[in-house]
């Protein structure tokens, strides 16, 4: 089978302007081998810039993350900022420790400088929330974080914030994408060798000083933790924050404490993935702490595990919804005011906590780009381990400050002879047992996701696990409170299901929640068994309805 001449021509043109010797060599080999299948995949289009910025597999070609794609993205962002009257404005750039992250950050700084903007790069690989903080702290007009968060090691990404410190939302994403598409040949993009600033440790010190603000000045600081950075950039910042706050120094999971872009001990560097926490639990069984805390590689997410004799291995991971409710209850106890917010895929328990406490409550589309924009926000969370506990400091999820607040709550309960699990029981008794689960299907072929969504739209289920579906909403049409998004929401008698394609990974994600009334503490085991039975049944029936 011969390679189409136009494909070879396009690949050759890309090769001619590729500034990276690594991807040049990679692409030259593919061209020489006339690898039709691989070249077709890489030149099937252009990696699309959206509300998550860019994210994809590293490699040569327009459908991969590489220096050519990043330079174009930076040039488009610079053009957009200038069109908005921000010529001369400051753009702050942060990066994680993944392959090519430092190169992508430097290219972005060069493009911004060449376009007449000012650029400042964080001093070293640091957590994403430090970049989100720095944007407002330094009065920047925009920020860029080079990260693929918890994606597999082969990926990298490019996340864009505007001057309010929040991630971009429509219409800015579309306008930036149009500006990227208008960028000409790379040799027309001015990229000086110098002219930008490399920030010192002062910006990190300012962030760390701010982390103290999430704690009650008089709270106990006795909780002992085991901590894993999941081979990411969290260790030095989290341990510094814990030291400043006066908590015992966390026991580190040594094999995962230092940044390593190969992520050698985990298949997927995400605390939610099976096996990712095994080393942390091994360390915990030896150290016997009160908590296990994990960040994802860019430290904007926070996972929590607690001792539980009934759990396999003696440790139980809390779901994001459980930690989200615990932090909400803790903030209520501390007298928080303002609005609590969450995305539509998160547990309805937060709304009940807010209502009973007389606090405002808002539900948003998925992502902190929406949560962070809620007016009067005091606390926001998302079930995927994201928590915004200091919106005045960081208008995004922040795994460092969330870890501090969890440790404070555990310390308060410890002084009372109680645990996080005891507080979860209290919440179940007060508001009903809210149990959540997820059906998540990773695919190689994205058409599988499109087919499942089409099937559910054409033939929505009438019942799941024996519970009648009382309403079926196609969220692509929008609602009176939410803009349109590709998703489906089913309300059942005592349950709720939301189905949507992931915005950052090749996954179909189905979010399940059941609410079981609980009359007394003695009834909790029966309620949990009923919730597990319902969730299992909903998963089974939903998978059949979607054909997955």
């Amino acid at each position: 089978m011969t390679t189409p001449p136009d494909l070879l021509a396009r690949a050759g043109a890309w090769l001619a302007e590729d500034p990276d010797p690594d991807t040049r060599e990679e692409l030259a080999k593919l061209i020489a081998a006339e690898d039709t299948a691989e070249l077709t995949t890489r030149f099937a289009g252009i990696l699309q810039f959206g509300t998550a910025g860019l994210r994809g597999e590293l490699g040569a070609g327009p459908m991969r993350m590489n220096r050519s794609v990043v330079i174009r993205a930076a040039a488009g962002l610079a053009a957009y900022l200038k069109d908005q009257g921000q010529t001369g404005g400051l753009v702050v750039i942060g990066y994680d420790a993944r392959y090519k992250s430092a190169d992508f950050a430097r290219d972005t700084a060069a493009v911004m400088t060449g376009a007449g903007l000012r650029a400042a790069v964080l001093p070293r690989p640091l957590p994403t929330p430090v970049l989100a903080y720095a944007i407002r702290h330094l009065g920047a007009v925009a920020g860029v974080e080079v990260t693929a968060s918890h994606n597999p090691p082969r990926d990298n990404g490019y996340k864009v914030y505007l001057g309010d410190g929040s991630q971009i939302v429509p219409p800015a994403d579309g306008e930036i994408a149009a500006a990227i598409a208008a960028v000409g040949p790379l040799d027309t993009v001015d990229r000086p060798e110098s002219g930008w600033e490399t920030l010192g440790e002062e910006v990190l010190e300012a962030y760390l000083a701010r982390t103290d603000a999430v704690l009650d000045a008089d709270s106990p600081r006795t909780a002992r933790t085991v901590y894993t950075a999941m081979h990411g950039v969290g260790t030095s910042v989290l341990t510094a924050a814990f030291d400043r706050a006066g908590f015992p120094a966390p026991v580190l999971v040594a094999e995962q404490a230092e940044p390593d872009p190969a992520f050698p001990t985990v298949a997927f560097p995400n605390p939610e993935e099976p096996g990712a926490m095994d080393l942390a639990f091994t360390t915990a069984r030896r150290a016997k702490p009160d908590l296990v805390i994990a960040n994802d590689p860019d430290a904007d997410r926070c996972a929590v595990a607690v001792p539980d004799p009934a759990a396999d291995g003696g440790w139980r991971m809390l779901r994001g919804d459980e930690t989200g409710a615990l932090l909400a209850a803790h903030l209520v106890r501390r007298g928080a005011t303002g609005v609590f917010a969450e995305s539509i895929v998160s547990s309805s328990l937060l709304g009940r906590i807010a209502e009973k406490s007389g606090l405002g409550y808002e539900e948003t589309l998925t992502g902190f780009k929406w949560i962070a924009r809620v007016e009067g926000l005091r606390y926001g969370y998302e079930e995927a381990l994201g928590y915004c506990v200091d919106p005045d400091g960081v208008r995004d999820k922040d795994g460092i400050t969330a870890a501090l607040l969890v440790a404070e709550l555990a310390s308060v309960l410890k002084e009372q002879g109680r645990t996080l699990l005891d507080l979860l029981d209290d919440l179940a008794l007060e508001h009903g047992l809210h149990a959540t689960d997820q059906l998540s299907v990773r695919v190689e072929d994205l058409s599988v996701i499109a087919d499942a969504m089409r099937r559910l739209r054409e033939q929505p289920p009438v019942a799941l696990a024996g519970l009648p579906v009382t309403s079926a909403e196609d969220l692509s049409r929008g609602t009176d409170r939410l803009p349109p998004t590709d998703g489906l929401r089913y309300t059942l008698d005592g349950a709720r299901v939301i189905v949507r394609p992931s915005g950052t990974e090749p996954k179909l994600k189905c979010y399940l929640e059941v609410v079981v009334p609980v009359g007394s503490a003695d009834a909790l085991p029966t309620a949990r068994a009923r919730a597990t039975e319902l969730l299992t049944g909903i998963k089974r029936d939903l998978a059949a309805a979607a054909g997955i």
Side-chain angles (χ1 to χ4, degrees):
M1 183 176 179
T2 59
T3 305
D6 68 316
L7 181 59
L8 284 177
R10 285 188 287 129
W14 186 274
L15 177 65
E17 66 172 18
D18 189 339
D20 189 332
D22 294 335
T23 45
R24 276 206 311 272
E25 179 182 1
E26 179 186 318
L27 185 55
K29 287 179 179 177
L30 292 174
I31 293 172
E34 295 192 2
D35 190 336
T36 303
E38 188 63 23
L39 286 170
T40 298
T41 298
R42 292 177 183 231
F43 286 84
I46 298 172
L47 199 61
Q48 289 300 304
F49 185 94
T51 51
L54 294 168
R55 197 176 291 188
E57 186 176 346
L58 289 161
M63 288 295 290
R64 296 287 185 267
M65 281 295 297
N66 51 62
R67 290 183 61 197
S68 295
V69 165
V70 165
I71 289 167
R72 291 181 178 280
L77 174 59
Y80 167 82
L81 292 171
K82 291 170 73 174
D83 285 346
Q84 299 294 310
Q86 304 289 3
T87 300
L90 175 66
V91 178
V92 188
I93 302 150
Y95 59 103
D96 66 12
R98 285 178 178 264
Y99 295 119
K100 298 291 181 181
S101 286
D103 294 338
F104 295 166
R106 184 174 57 251
D107 282 333
T108 300
V111 170
M112 296 300 161
T113 303
L117 292 143
R118 294 180 296 125
V121 183
L122 293 184
R124 52 190 168 87
L126 287 168
T128 293
V130 177
L131 180 277
Y133 168 80
I135 293 166
R136 297 176 69 213
H137 176 67
L138 298 173
V141 299
V144 170
E145 176 70 15
V146 180
T147 182
S149 190
H150 58 284
N151 274 39
R154 65 178 182 268
D155 290 358
N156 212 327
Y158 198 81
K159 187 182 292 188
V160 176
Y161 298 74
L162 294 182
D164 63 355
S166 301
Q167 296 176 52
I168 55 170
V169 294
D173 59 336
E175 292 168 359
I176 295 170
I180 293 170
V183 174
L186 284 194
D187 60 10
T188 66
V189 179
D190 189 10
R191 289 181 286 134
E193 293 294 320
S194 61
W196 58 88
E197 178 185 3
T198 299
L199 296 166
E201 295 292 314
E202 296 83 5
V203 68
L204 176 59
E205 281 300 310
Y207 167 81
L208 286 169
R210 178 82 200 184
T211 61
D212 295 347
V214 306
L215 303 174
D216 189 328
D218 300 320
S219 64
R221 313 284 166 90
T222 56
R224 296 176 300 107
T225 59
V226 159
Y227 171 72
T228 176
M230 209 67 66
H231 297 297
V233 298
T235 296
S236 64
V237 180
L238 182 132
T239 54
F242 270 56
D243 180 61
R244 292 175 69 105
F247 286 104
V251 176
L252 301 181
V253 179
E255 302 92 333
Q256 299 175 335
E258 295 303 316
D260 186 336
F263 301 101
T265 68
V266 288
F268 293 96
N270 179 352
E272 293 180 297
E273 292 285 347
M277 295 291 288
D278 286 356
L279 285 171
F281 293 152
T282 298
T283 304
R285 284 189 284 272
R286 183 175 66 249
K288 296 181 168 52
D290 301 302
L291 293 170
V292 172
I293 289 176
N295 287 140
D296 65 339
D298 68 326
D300 63 351
R301 298 172 191 239
C302 177
V304 179
V306 295
D308 184 354
D312 186 26
W315 282 85
R316 176 187 151 194
M317 276 280 288
L318 297 183
R319 292 191 172 277
D321 284 318
E322 291 177 313
T323 302
L326 288 168
L327 291 178
H330 181 48
L331 290 171
V332 166
R333 184 197 63 81
R334 282 179 31 182
T337 58
V339 177
F340 283 8
E342 64 180 340
S343 63
I344 57 172
V345 299
S346 304
S347 172
S348 60
L349 178 54
L350 183 70
R352 299 190 183 203
I353 292 171
E355 181 181 13
K356 184 156 187 181
S357 305
L359 298 174
Y361 169 75
E362 290 289 338
E363 199 176 47
T364 75
L365 293 183
T366 307
F368 272 81
K369 58 184 176 282
W370 299 108
I371 294 172
R373 285 180 159 77
V374 168
E375 189 172 347
L377 181 68
R378 173 59 185 89
Y379 168 65
Y381 97 91
E382 192 158 63
E383 54 76 41
L385 309 180
Y387 313 95
C388 176
V389 301
D390 178 25
D392 290 340
V394 175
R395 291 187 178 178
D396 200 358
K397 54 187 178 291
D398 183 347
I400 305 297
T401 51
L404 285 172
L405 202 60
V406 168
E408 179 184 62
L409 172 56
S411 298
V412 169
L413 292 168
K414 185 177 180 180
E415 298 288 299
Q416 300 168 358
R418 305 177 75 236
T419 68
L420 296 179
L421 295 181
D422 292 328
L423 182 53
L424 283 174
D425 286 350
D426 292 348
L427 293 173
L429 289 169
E430 187 174 2
H431 302 287
L433 177 67
H434 290 62
T436 58
D437 202 354
Q438 191 178 127
L439 173 62
S440 181
V441 181
R442 185 181 291 272
V443 301
E444 294 294 329
D445 181 359
L446 291 176
S447 69
V448 173
I449 295 175
D451 288 344
M453 295 296 290
R454 176 185 50 75
R455 182 170 176 166
L456 288 170
R457 284 189 167 103
E458 292 175 355
Q459 296 179 305
V462 295
L464 297 169
L467 300 177
V469 175
T470 57
S471 73
E473 297 173 272
D474 187 343
L475 298 176
S476 66
R477 302 188 178 112
T479 73
D480 57 345
R481 300 185 66 84
L482 297 170
T485 187
D486 187 9
L488 301 165
R489 178 163 58 183
Y490 304 115
T491 302
L492 295 86
D493 185 10
R496 180 222 66 199
V497 174
I498 292 175
V499 184
R500 60 179 283 272
S502 170
T504 56
E505 299 176 271
K507 283 183 176 182
L508 180 68
K509 303 183 86 169
C510 310
Y511 305 85
L512 324 175
E513 180 179 38
V514 299
V515 182
V516 180
V518 184
S520 67
D522 292 341
L524 276 168
T526 302
R528 289 198 181 94
R530 175 59 176 160
T532 300
E533 176 189 3
L534 287 171
L535 289 170
T536 301
I538 291 172
K539 268 189 184 182
R540 178 194 64 235
D541 294 352
L542 185 62
I548 54 176

